[in-house]
Amino acid sequence: MTIWNEVAPRYHKRWASEDKGPFASTKKLVDLVDIKKGNKILDVACGTGVVTKKLTQKVGKTGYVIGADTSVSAIKIAKKWNSKTSNLLFVNADAENLSFKEKFDIITCQYALFFFPNASKALKNMRKSLKESGKLGMSVHGHRDRVPYFGNILDAVTQFIPEYIPPGTPDLDRYGTKKSFRDEVKKAGFSNIIVKDFTFKYSPGNFDDYWKNYLRYVAKPIKEKLNSLDKSKRKELKEMIRENTKPHTKRNGIIQFPWEVLILTAKY
Ligand SMILES: C[S@@+](CC[C@H](N)C(=O)[O-])C[C@H]1O[C@@H](n2cnc3c(N)ncnc32)[C@H](O)[C@@H]1O
């Protein structure tokens, strides 16, 4: 929660509000859940409201959308980013513990399942919040080998700073295969599970842009760990990452990463 409160403004500006790279998935997710006018939708871990915004445009005046997230600063941005309408509400709530009086026709959750320490509890909770005729739509990042934007840095950094990601932190790609994703959702009782994979393209610019922007984006505790390396180690690390990016670097020096995203739909 602390990290998301710090990172939310940068996340919104750099990533979520741009329909580029992995965020081309927002439109696909919204299309795949097949929204009807009048639907009541819950967007779990709505962040700065980019999915919520597209959902609201589809439900008409008779439907409504609720966006729920644990980050107060993300919700603040979501409220600004979405125009005020009486059928849209943002609440500060934890996916593992939220509960509403009414049940929903559709629940969406983009790029968040892997952050929930108890993803199974969150999924069961989502199912409890769905009508029996309801639908679930979720997206996650693919395995880190198929998301080199993260993999190229993590593979190198963890050789220099083994505890770069604090032990016990859920892996970002723990649902990064169709099987692992489907199995987790199935365990929560959902049926008719379909997982589709998409590979989007993402260009962070040249290597220096990629590394500079990564350093600008990361949360404070991570930045502190990188800063703890002495100058020569830092240089070595940078060169190792540069080497990792070579297979994705074009002749003109611009990096073009593939970025796998899995989108799942399921019924109650
Ligand atoms: C990568 S962002 C995704 C936001 C949004 N769905 C999107 O696609 O832009 C992950 C979000 O999950 C939220 N989050 C993490 N753990 C959560 C939890 N247990 N309950 C609700 N939200 C949570 C974070 O605050 C953050 O806003």
Side-chain angles (χ1 to χ4, degrees):
M1 279 184 220
T2 315
I3 285 183
W4 276 108
N5 277 330
E6 185 212 324
V7 158
R10 302 202 286 282
Y11 171 78
H12 186 67
K13 193 162 174 240
R14 257 293 302 285
W15 293 107
S17 64
E18 304 258 322
D19 282 343
K20 281 190 218 152
F23 283 89
S25 69
T26 308
K27 185 181 180 305
K28 292 222 184 287
L29 174 68
V30 171
D31 287 347
L32 282 168
V33 288
D34 189 23
I35 298 162
K36 306 274 186 291
K37 288 236 173 338
N39 277 169
K40 297 169 177 48
I41 307 183
L42 172 65
D43 185 26
V44 174
C46 63
T48 61
V50 294
V51 182
T52 328
K53 187 173 195 163
K54 287 197 169 28
L55 297 170
T56 312
Q57 287 159 357
K58 299 234 167 183
V59 295
K61 286 199 177 106
T62 52
Y64 63 77
V65 183
I66 297 182
D69 200 284
T70 40
S71 163
V72 179
S73 70
I75 287 191
K76 233 189 218 169
I77 298 168
K79 284 183 179 166
K80 262 198 209 154
W81 170 252
N82 282 265
S83 42
K84 268 198 179 135
T85 61
S86 56
N87 60 352
L88 169 64
L89 178 73
F90 287 103
V91 295
N92 191 211
D94 176 358
E96 291 176 23
N97 296 300
L98 50 77
S99 94
F100 294 90
K101 257 193 208 156
E102 299 229 11
K103 301 214 181 231
F104 296 90
D105 297 294
I106 293 173
I107 295 184
T108 53
C109 180
Q110 173 165 279
Y111 299 140
L113 182 68
F114 40 78
F115 286 124
F116 307 153
N118 191 343
S120 175
K121 187 174 174 199
L123 280 165
K124 284 185 188 144
N125 209 16
M126 289 184 213
R127 189 160 178 267
K128 248 194 267 166
S129 310
L130 257 192
K131 291 181 184 171
E132 284 185 21
S133 57
K135 260 177 293 178
L136 173 74
M138 302 192 115
S139 39
V140 296
H141 299 292
H143 186 270
R144 98 187 204 188
D145 294 344
R146 293 182 295 280
V147 185
Y149 177 88
F150 293 130
N152 281 183
I153 289 180
L154 287 177
D155 289 347
V157 173
T158 45
Q159 293 190 38
F160 288 79
I161 312 169
E163 299 207 338
Y164 184 63
I165 307 290
T169 307
D171 272 343
L172 212 72
D173 64 353
R174 66 187 161 130
Y175 302 117
T177 62
K178 283 185 170 182
K179 183 176 174 350
S180 57
F181 197 12
R182 182 185 292 112
D183 288 353
E184 189 66 67
V185 172
K186 198 171 173 196
K187 250 188 357 202
F190 288 96
S191 62
N192 291 68
I193 302 169
I194 299 170
V195 188
K196 296 192 174 179
D197 63 351
F198 298 91
T199 299
F200 300 111
K201 282 185 183 149
Y202 178 72
S203 174
N206 63 26
F207 177 76
D208 286 329
D209 298 326
Y210 169 49
W211 183 228
K212 194 176 64 202
N213 284 327
Y214 176 81
L215 293 176
R216 260 193 209 147
Y217 177 79
V218 288
K220 254 194 220 149
I222 301 258
K223 212 172 283 173
E224 279 163 11
K225 285 186 188 172
L226 289 166
N227 287 341
S228 72
L229 290 176
D230 66 36
K231 221 173 164 191
S232 67
K233 285 274 172 230
R234 233 180 123 119
K235 204 169 163 205
E236 230 182 283
L237 167 66
K238 192 172 165 187
E239 288 318 305
M240 194 183 276
I241 299 170
R242 191 194 299 275
E243 209 43 50
N244 290 349
T245 61
K246 286 210 169 136
H248 308 291
T249 306
K250 294 191 285 189
R251 274 211 195 125
N252 61 3
I254 299 296
I255 302 174
Q256 177 90 257
F257 284 130
W259 195 311
E260 188 189 57
V261 174
L262 303 178
I263 305 186
L264 175 150
T265 53
K267 290 191 177 160
Y268 173 84

